[in-house]
Amino acid sequence: MAWAYFFDIDGTLVDLAATPSAVHPDSDIRRLVHGLYSVTGGAVALISGRSLADIDRLFPRVRLPAAGQHGLERRDATGRLHSHPIPEGSLDSVRAQLREAVARHHGLLIEDKGLSLALHYRSVPRLAGFAHRLMRTLQTELGNGYCVQPGKRVVELKPAGRDKGVAILEFMEEAPFRGRIPVFVGDDATDEYGFAVVNGLGGHSVKVGAGQTAASCRLGDVSAVRAWLNSLETIPALKAELNPRAIR
């Protein structure tokens, strides 16, 4: 049976950087992803916390199927855009409070994705507790329509009910993903939703790096992901697509 490939971006296809805008995939990883997309007949999707616009900035040559903001926005294989309803009410007051916090605490960074907001503390890990408390307080103000999503030195405030697992399920109901065995590669707590879904579908979930996980396989780091992709590309028609022995 054919395979469907889903990839997180940061910490999976590219190394993490000090800020989201500092990430620049090199031509080699772009070539590998685009090559896999071509040889699988389009059964490759990027599943990211980034916005779709930012995903396209990182992978500009081909408009790949992609889910942005943890599935709040999604582009299917035909290029059709799907934007899921968000709770009533404005994030304007939250934006204002986050700007005030960043002004008081040098090193914090706001990432405004439109439908969700992220507070990065990668440059100031000592402020982790403050960042998480602040976002929990802001979520309480907004109500149950929003939730707090922790990540690697980042904490996000986003509409509830959407996650990477839901996005993968939606892709798997559509061509060319339908009927294939799903493979999802990710590194972060936000990817655990995707791992759970892929496990339930009888696919392969691949955790990148250390840490407790529901994933069934593991790769050591971004370099190991790249080496694995290179091995797929060198096998005609992906005859040995996912060798579990190659992923520990």
Side-chain angles (χ1 to χ4, degrees):
M1 183 180 292
W3 303 75
Y5 294 88
F6 301 95
F7 296 97
D8 173 46
I9 298 176
D10 297 88
T12 298
L13 294 177
V14 296
D15 285 308
L16 297 170
T19 65
S21 61
V23 171
H24 300 286
D26 61 31
S27 59
D28 188 50
I29 194 63
R30 288 172 172 163
R31 176 183 58 80
L32 288 169
V33 172
H34 292 153
L36 188 60
Y37 172 77
S38 177
V39 78
T40 58
V44 172
L46 302 177
I47 312 292
S48 178
R50 291 177 179 267
S51 67
L52 282 180
D54 210 18
I55 292 172
D56 289 342
R57 176 183 69 83
L58 299 179
F59 292 86
R61 186 168 66 85
V62 178
R63 289 295 177 95
L64 298 165
Q69 300 190 62
H70 308 284
L72 289 172
E73 50 181 355
R74 190 173 68 89
R75 181 173 57 233
D76 65 25
T78 70
R80 180 185 175 192
L81 298 178
H82 305 260
S83 185
H84 296 280
I86 62 173
E88 292 184 6
S90 173
L91 289 174
D92 288 345
S93 63
V94 172
R95 290 186 177 94
Q97 292 181 70
L98 286 177
R99 284 195 293 268
E100 291 176 5
V102 169
R104 294 196 309 270
H105 299 279
H106 179 72
L108 290 177
L109 174 68
I110 304 170
E111 183 183 8
D112 190 340
K113 305 176 187 180
L115 301 177
S116 58
L117 297 166
L119 183 61
H120 294 263
Y121 52 90
R122 181 165 300 279
S123 299
V124 281
R126 61 185 174 79
L127 292 178
F130 168 78
H132 283 263
R133 287 192 300 273
L134 174 60
M135 294 299 259
R136 288 196 298 269
T137 298
L138 295 175
Q139 182 274 326
T140 300
E141 293 179 10
L142 288 171
N144 293 332
Y146 284 83
C147 67
V148 172
Q149 175 66 65
K152 288 185 175 178
R153 297 191 176 179
V154 61
V155 56
E156 299 188 48
L157 190 60
K158 68 182 189 67
R162 310 302 309 179
D163 57 51
K164 293 184 178 182
V166 173
I168 290 173
L169 279 174
E170 290 174 338
F171 278 119
M172 290 299 294
E173 293 173 353
E174 304 166 348
F177 302 92
R178 187 189 302 116
R180 294 174 177 251
I181 296 174
V183 180
F184 177 45
V185 189
D187 74 303
D188 206 346
T190 64
D191 300 312
E192 293 295 324
Y193 298 103
F195 296 154
V197 164
V198 167
N199 291 345
L201 294 174
H204 295 277
S205 50
V206 185
K207 164 79 170 180
V208 180
Q212 187 174 357
T213 183
S216 58
C217 307
R218 193 183 296 268
L219 287 166
D221 53 24
V222 170
S223 295
V225 175
R226 185 178 300 231
W228 176 60
L229 285 172
N230 266 304
S231 74
L232 294 184
E233 187 191 48
T234 59
I235 299 173
L238 305 181
K239 288 173 65 178
E241 290 201 45
L242 180 67
N243 179 1
R245 291 175 295 180
I247 299 178
R248 297 174 174 86

